[in-house]
Amino acid sequence: MSQADPGDAKALPPLQTPSSGLPPPTASLEPGLVRISLLICGLMVLYGLAWEAFIDPVREGSWLWLKVIPLALAMPGLARAKVYTYQWMSLLIWLYLCEALVRIASPSVSERWLALGWLVLGLALCGAILLAIQRLKRQQKKLTPNPSANDGLHDPQGDGPQKK
């Protein structure tokens, strides 16, 4: 017989709360915000492809439509409500917003309007992602018990530690 390796995660029993024997409740992203984020991201992919490939390409044969690939790659993670995807998308979206702001200053009127549409979609996606993460953090805060609330070391008025 072989003994289980103490470093093997599969050999360890799952963590459970001591009071109920059930696993602790987990917070999750709101389904409505997940759908909105996914919809806006899909619209940005279609809008970016149409803009850069057909409507107003920078020049003939431009490969600028490739900028939507990261958005397309993020869609499965957004659909599955993966927090990690929401976190990296909250950083990536700023590149798209900066591009829109730069292209709004274009001499071409059609490109200005297209860039304004890109900016609106980017701001909407940024808002949806940040709101989803903010609400998730609030849920996690509500579900996590405050370990210092009743440990007898802190004064209820918040003046500092009590002496025993």
Side-chain angles (χ1 to χ4, degrees):
M1 284 198 234
S2 66
Q3 291 182 335
D5 180 17
D8 186 12
K10 293 178 184 174
L12 299 175
L15 294 176
Q16 295 180 346
T17 57
S19 61
S20 67
L22 299 173
T26 59
S28 62
L29 293 168
E30 292 182 17
L33 289 172
V34 169
R35 282 189 222 106
I36 290 170
S37 300
L38 186 62
L39 175 69
I40 296 170
C41 188
L43 287 173
M44 283 189 75
V45 169
L46 294 175
Y47 190 89
L49 283 174
W51 177 12
E52 301 298 348
F54 305 112
I55 299 172
D56 191 22
V58 175
R59 62 184 168 281
E60 191 67 32
S62 171
W63 285 42
L64 201 52
W65 58 269
L66 292 173
K67 70 182 179 186
V68 301
I69 289 177
L71 292 171
L73 292 175
M75 290 182 69
L78 292 175
R80 291 187 199 111
K82 299 285 185 181
V83 175
Y84 182 73
T85 305
Y86 278 78
Q87 289 172 334
W88 67 260
M89 277 295 292
S90 71
L91 298 173
L92 180 70
I93 193 65
W94 294 104
L95 295 173
Y96 294 103
L97 293 174
C98 288
E99 183 218 1
L101 290 172
V102 167
R103 292 181 78 173
I104 282 176
S106 170
S108 168
V109 175
S110 63
E111 189 167 346
R112 278 190 214 153
W113 282 107
L114 289 166
L116 183 62
W118 189 249
L119 180 66
V120 168
L121 285 172
L123 287 172
L125 182 59
C126 182
I129 286 172
L130 294 178
L131 187 61
I133 294 295
Q134 179 188 33
R135 289 191 179 168
L136 175 72
K137 297 291 181 187
R138 278 194 197 143
Q139 280 182 10
Q140 288 174 339
K141 194 174 184 179
K142 285 180 185 176
L143 293 175
T144 306
N146 188 355
S148 65
N150 293 322
D151 62 0
L153 297 175
H154 292 85
D155 188 14
Q157 286 84 22
D159 296 336
Q162 294 178 349
K163 295 183 182 179
K164 285 189 174 184

